[in-house]
Amino acid sequence: MVTRTAPSRLTAQERARRSARGGASRSVPAPLLAPALIAVAFLLLPLAGLVIRAPWGHMGAALSGTDATQALVLSLWTASVTTGVSLVIGVPLAWVLARTTFPGQRLLRALVTLPLVLPPVVGGVALLLAFSRVGFVGRYLDDWFGLTIPFTPLAVIMAETFVAMPFLIITVEGALRSADQGYEEAAATLGAKRMTVFRRVTVPLIAPSLGAGAVLCWARALGEFGATITFAGSFPGQTETMPIAVYYALQTDPNAAIALSLVLLLVSVIVLVSLRDHWLRGGSVS
């Protein structure tokens, strides 16, 4: 007597994997192929033009100018400081948004992520109204401590933090929401204090997403223009970052502008490659 064996049930992960393989092997419908090719051309042709017109034989000279070097150094260290500040104050905020419930939480989340959609120049104006010498906060900083923030390197860091930190917050918050809290609960039942659980359990759990958020924050800070030029101005060696230097160099020295643009392009490519598993492919925290 021949008995038939019931087919084993596929797990959701196996079904998703098979579906992904099947979808990848299907041909693209003609009505979708033409618009997709147009979109690819529209996005890649400007970048190709940048590479083609690059003064490859004079790249060293274009980047060795005093203003270009100062802008590069300033951008690198301000973006790094911005990322450090965002990690110190942004990660706790992401934890509060992900793990607690309180009145007005949705409003707070909307306000925190507002700089993602707010025009950067508007953010610069808002920073001026708050922290300039006549601002509602800046006037007290000036009267009590003699601290003037606008048009200083500190203003660059504040402008970059304002526009870049939300990228870190939303990335970390998403990781905290999807992370398995069983490990944290087990550590708590074993007597670990809440900060010990956060440092020894929570942070390692979300480490990939934390790193991805930090890289996104750094890259966004490096490319910030609108809020920076509005709040910090453009003083070579003091507040003139790479995007600002590109803007002004395009009017006087196109080769230097293209060279600086290629540096920013290279940084962007490196960021995308480093985030391919956690961002482009929707990597999850386990």
Side-chain angles (χ1 to χ4, degrees), residues 85-133:
V85 172
S86 298
L87 286 170
V88 171
I89 64 178
V91 173
L93 177 55
W95 189 93
V96 170
L97 292 174
R99 295 294 177 81
T100 62
T101 303
F102 54 89
Q105 185 178 23
R106 291 185 178 180
L107 176 60
L108 177 60
R109 181 180 291 109
L111 293 176
V112 166
T113 56
L114 185 61
L116 293 175
V117 296
L118 191 71
V121 67
V122 176
V125 172
L127 288 168
L128 270 176
L129 296 176
F131 296 104
S132 67
R133 296 183 64 180

Coordinates of all heavy atoms in Angstrom, one line a residue, residues 85-133:
V85 N 27.4 64.4 18.6 CA 26.3 65.0 19.4 C 25.0 64.3 19.2 O 24.2 64.1 20.1 CB 26.2 66.5 19.0 CG1 25.0 67.2 19.6 CG2 27.5 67.2 19.4
S86 N 24.7 63.9 17.9 CA 23.4 63.3 17.6 C 23.3 61.9 18.3 O 22.2 61.5 18.8 CB 23.3 63.1 16.1 OG 23.3 64.3 15.5
L87 N 24.4 61.2 18.4 CA 24.4 59.9 19.1 C 24.1 60.1 20.6 O 23.4 59.4 21.2 CB 25.8 59.2 19.0 CG 26.0 58.6 17.6 CD1 27.5 58.1 17.5 CD2 25.1 57.4 17.4
V88 N 24.8 61.2 21.2 CA 24.6 61.4 22.7 C 23.2 61.8 23.0 O 22.6 61.3 24.0 CB 25.6 62.4 23.1 CG1 25.3 62.9 24.6 CG2 27.0 61.9 23.0
I89 N 22.6 62.6 22.2 CA 21.2 63.1 22.6 C 20.1 62.5 21.7 O 19.0 62.5 22.2 CB 21.1 64.7 22.5 CG1 21.4 65.1 21.0 CG2 22.2 65.3 23.4 CD1 21.2 66.7 20.9
G90 N 20.5 62.0 20.6 CA 19.4 61.4 19.7 C 19.0 60.0 20.0 O 17.8 59.7 20.0
V91 N 20.0 59.2 20.4 CA 19.7 57.8 20.8 C 18.7 57.7 22.0 O 17.7 57.0 22.0 CB 21.0 57.0 21.0 CG1 20.6 55.6 21.6 CG2 21.7 56.9 19.7
P92 N 19.0 58.5 23.1 CA 18.0 58.5 24.2 C 16.6 59.0 23.8 O 15.6 58.4 24.2 CB 18.6 59.5 25.2 CG 20.1 59.4 24.9 CD 20.2 59.3 23.5
L93 N 16.5 60.0 22.9 CA 15.2 60.4 22.4 C 14.6 59.3 21.6 O 13.3 59.1 21.7 CB 15.4 61.7 21.6 CG 14.1 62.2 20.9 CD1 13.0 62.5 22.0 CD2 14.4 63.5 20.1
A94 N 15.3 58.6 20.8 CA 14.8 57.5 20.0 C 14.2 56.4 21.0 O 13.2 55.8 20.7 CB 15.8 56.9 19.1
W95 N 14.9 56.1 22.1 CA 14.5 55.1 23.0 C 13.2 55.6 23.7 O 12.2 54.8 23.9 CB 15.5 54.9 24.1 CG 15.3 53.8 25.0 CD1 15.7 52.5 24.9 CD2 14.5 53.8 26.2 NE1 15.2 51.7 25.9 CE2 14.5 52.5 26.8 CE3 13.8 54.9 26.9 CZ2 13.8 52.2 28.0 CZ3 13.1 54.6 28.1 CH2 13.1 53.3 28.6
V96 N 13.1 56.9 24.0 CA 11.9 57.4 24.6 C 10.7 57.3 23.7 O 9.6 56.9 24.1 CB 12.1 58.9 25.0 CG1 10.7 59.5 25.4 CG2 13.1 59.0 26.2
L97 N 10.9 57.6 22.4 CA 9.8 57.5 21.4 C 9.4 56.0 21.2 O 8.2 55.8 20.9 CB 10.2 58.1 20.1 CG 10.4 59.7 20.2 CD1 11.0 60.1 18.8 CD2 9.1 60.4 20.5
A98 N 10.3 55.1 21.3 CA 10.1 53.7 20.9 C 9.5 52.9 22.1 O 8.7 52.0 21.9 CB 11.3 53.0 20.4
R99 N 10.0 53.2 23.3 CA 9.7 52.3 24.4 C 8.8 52.9 25.5 O 8.5 52.2 26.5 CB 11.0 51.9 25.1 CG 11.9 51.1 24.2 CD 11.3 49.7 23.9 NE 12.1 48.9 23.0 CZ 13.2 48.2 23.3 NH1 13.6 48.3 24.6 NH2 13.8 47.5 22.4
T100 N 8.3 54.1 25.4 CA 7.5 54.7 26.4 C 6.2 55.2 25.7 O 6.1 55.4 24.5 CB 8.1 55.9 27.1 OG1 8.5 56.9 26.1 CG2 9.4 55.4 27.8
T101 N 5.2 55.5 26.5 CA 3.9 56.0 26.1 C 3.5 57.2 27.0 O 3.6 57.1 28.2 CB 2.8 55.0 26.1 OG1 3.2 53.9 25.3 CG2 1.5 55.6 25.6
F102 N 3.2 58.3 26.4 CA 2.9 59.5 27.1 C 2.0 60.4 26.3 O 2.0 60.3 25.0 CB 4.1 60.3 27.6 CG 5.1 60.6 26.5 CD1 5.0 61.8 25.8 CD2 6.1 59.7 26.2 CE1 5.9 62.1 24.7 CE2 7.0 60.0 25.1 CZ 6.9 61.2 24.4
P103 N 1.3 61.3 26.9 CA 0.4 62.2 26.1 C 1.2 63.1 25.2 O 2.3 63.6 25.6 CB -0.3 63.1 27.2 CG -0.2 62.2 28.4 CD 1.1 61.5 28.3
G104 N 0.8 63.3 24.0 CA 1.5 64.1 23.0 C 2.7 63.4 22.3 O 3.5 64.1 21.7
Q105 N 2.8 62.1 22.5 CA 3.9 61.4 21.9 C 3.9 61.5 20.3 O 4.9 61.7 19.7 CB 3.9 59.9 22.3 CG 5.1 59.1 21.8 CD 5.0 57.7 22.3 OE1 3.9 57.1 22.6 NE2 6.1 57.0 22.4
R106 N 2.7 61.3 19.7 CA 2.7 61.4 18.3 C 3.1 62.8 17.8 O 3.7 63.0 16.8 CB 1.3 61.1 17.8 CG 0.9 59.6 18.0 CD -0.5 59.4 17.4 NE -0.9 58.0 17.5 CZ -2.0 57.4 17.0 NH1 -2.9 58.2 16.4 NH2 -2.2 56.1 17.2
L107 N 2.6 63.8 18.5 CA 3.0 65.2 18.2 C 4.5 65.4 18.3 O 5.1 66.0 17.4 CB 2.3 66.2 19.1 CG 2.6 67.7 18.8 CD1 2.3 68.1 17.4 CD2 1.9 68.6 19.9
L108 N 5.1 64.9 19.4 CA 6.5 65.0 19.5 C 7.3 64.3 18.4 O 8.3 64.8 17.9 CB 7.0 64.4 20.9 CG 8.5 64.4 21.2 CD1 9.0 65.8 21.2 CD2 8.7 63.7 22.5
R109 N 6.8 63.1 18.0 CA 7.5 62.4 16.9 C 7.4 63.2 15.6 O 8.4 63.2 14.9 CB 6.9 61.0 16.8 CG 7.5 60.2 15.6 CD 6.9 58.8 15.5 NE 7.2 58.0 16.6 CZ 6.3 57.6 17.5 NH1 5.1 58.0 17.4 NH2 6.6 56.8 18.5
A110 N 6.2 63.8 15.4 CA 6.1 64.6 14.2 C 7.0 65.8 14.2 O 7.6 66.1 13.2 CB 4.6 65.0 14.1
L111 N 7.2 66.4 15.3 CA 8.0 67.6 15.4 C 9.5 67.2 15.3 O 10.3 67.9 14.7 CB 7.8 68.3 16.8 CG 6.4 69.0 17.0 CD1 6.3 69.5 18.4 CD2 6.2 70.1 15.9
V112 N 9.9 66.0 15.9 CA 11.3 65.6 15.8 C 11.6 65.3 14.3 O 12.8 65.5 13.9 CB 11.4 64.3 16.7 CG1 12.8 63.6 16.4 CG2 11.4 64.7 18.2
T113 N 10.7 64.7 13.6 CA 11.0 64.4 12.2 C 10.7 65.5 11.2 O 11.0 65.3 10.0 CB 10.2 63.1 11.8 OG1 8.8 63.4 12.0 CG2 10.6 61.9 12.6
L114 N 10.2 66.6 11.7 CA 9.9 67.7 10.8 C 11.1 68.2 10.0 O 10.9 68.5 8.8 CB 9.3 68.9 11.7 CG 8.8 70.1 10.9 CD1 7.7 69.7 10.0 CD2 8.4 71.2 11.9
P115 N 12.3 68.3 10.5 CA 13.4 68.7 9.7 C 13.7 67.9 8.5 O 14.4 68.3 7.5 CB 14.6 68.7 10.7 CG 14.0 68.9 12.0 CD 12.7 68.1 11.9
L116 N 13.1 66.6 8.4 CA 13.3 65.8 7.3 C 12.6 66.4 6.0 O 13.0 66.1 4.9 CB 12.8 64.4 7.5 CG 13.5 63.5 8.6 CD1 12.8 62.2 8.8 CD2 15.0 63.3 8.1
V117 N 11.5 67.0 6.3 CA 10.7 67.6 5.2 C 10.7 69.1 5.1 O 10.3 69.7 4.1 CB 9.2 67.1 5.3 CG1 9.1 65.6 5.1 CG2 8.6 67.5 6.6
L118 N 11.3 69.7 6.1 CA 11.3 71.2 6.2 C 12.5 71.7 5.3 O 13.6 71.1 5.3 CB 11.6 71.6 7.6 CG 11.5 73.1 8.0 CD1 10.0 73.5 7.9 CD2 12.1 73.4 9.3
P119 N 12.2 72.7 4.4 CA 13.3 73.2 3.6 C 14.5 73.7 4.5 O 14.2 74.4 5.5 CB 12.7 74.4 2.9 CG 11.2 74.1 2.9 CD 10.9 73.3 4.2
P120 N 15.7 73.2 4.3 CA 16.8 73.6 5.1 C 17.0 75.1 5.4 O 17.3 75.5 6.5 CB 18.0 73.0 4.4 CG 17.5 71.9 3.6 CD 16.1 72.4 3.2
V121 N 16.7 75.9 4.4 CA 16.9 77.3 4.6 C 15.9 77.8 5.7 O 16.2 78.8 6.5 CB 16.7 78.1 3.3 CG1 15.3 78.0 2.8 CG2 17.1 79.6 3.5
V122 N 14.7 77.2 5.8 CA 13.7 77.6 6.8 C 14.3 77.2 8.2 O 14.1 77.9 9.2 CB 12.4 76.9 6.5 CG1 11.4 77.2 7.6 CG2 11.8 77.4 5.2
G123 N 14.9 76.0 8.2 CA 15.6 75.6 9.5 C 16.6 76.6 9.9 O 16.8 76.9 11.1
G124 N 17.4 77.1 8.9 CA 18.4 78.2 9.2 C 17.8 79.4 9.8 O 18.3 80.0 10.7
V125 N 16.7 79.8 9.2 CA 16.0 81.0 9.7 C 15.4 80.8 11.1 O 15.5 81.6 12.0 CB 14.8 81.4 8.7 CG1 13.9 82.5 9.4 CG2 15.3 81.8 7.4
A126 N 14.9 79.6 11.4 CA 14.4 79.2 12.7 C 15.5 79.3 13.7 O 15.4 79.8 14.8 CB 13.7 77.9 12.7
L127 N 16.7 78.7 13.3 CA 17.9 78.8 14.2 C 18.3 80.2 14.5 O 18.7 80.5 15.7 CB 19.0 78.0 13.6 CG 18.8 76.5 13.6 CD1 19.9 75.8 12.7 CD2 18.9 75.9 15.0
L128 N 18.2 81.1 13.5 CA 18.6 82.5 13.7 C 17.6 83.1 14.7 O 18.0 83.9 15.6 CB 18.6 83.2 12.4 CG 19.9 83.3 11.6 CD1 19.6 84.0 10.3 CD2 21.0 84.0 12.4
L129 N 16.3 82.9 14.5 CA 15.3 83.5 15.4 C 15.4 83.0 16.8 O 15.1 83.7 17.8 CB 13.9 83.2 14.9 CG 13.6 83.8 13.5 CD1 12.2 83.4 13.0 CD2 13.7 85.3 13.6
A130 N 16.0 81.8 17.0 CA 16.1 81.2 18.4 C 17.5 81.6 19.0 O 17.5 81.9 20.2 CB 15.9 79.7 18.3
F131 N 18.5 81.6 18.2 CA 19.9 81.6 18.8 C 20.7 82.8 18.4 O 21.9 82.9 18.8 CB 20.7 80.4 18.5 CG 20.1 79.1 19.1 CD1 19.3 78.2 18.3 CD2 20.2 78.9 20.5 CE1 18.8 77.1 18.9 CE2 19.6 77.7 21.1 CZ 18.9 76.8 20.2
S132 N 20.1 83.8 17.6 CA 20.9 85.0 17.3 C 20.9 85.9 18.5 O 20.3 85.6 19.6 CB 20.2 85.7 16.1 OG 19.0 86.2 16.5
R133 N 21.7 87.0 18.4 CA 21.8 87.9 19.6 C 20.5 88.5 20.0 O 20.4 89.0 21.1 CB 22.8 89.0 19.3 CG 24.2 88.4 19.0 CD 25.2 89.5 18.8 NE 25.4 90.4 19.9 CZ 26.2 91.5 20.0 NH1 26.9 91.8 18.9 NH2 26.3 92.2 21.0

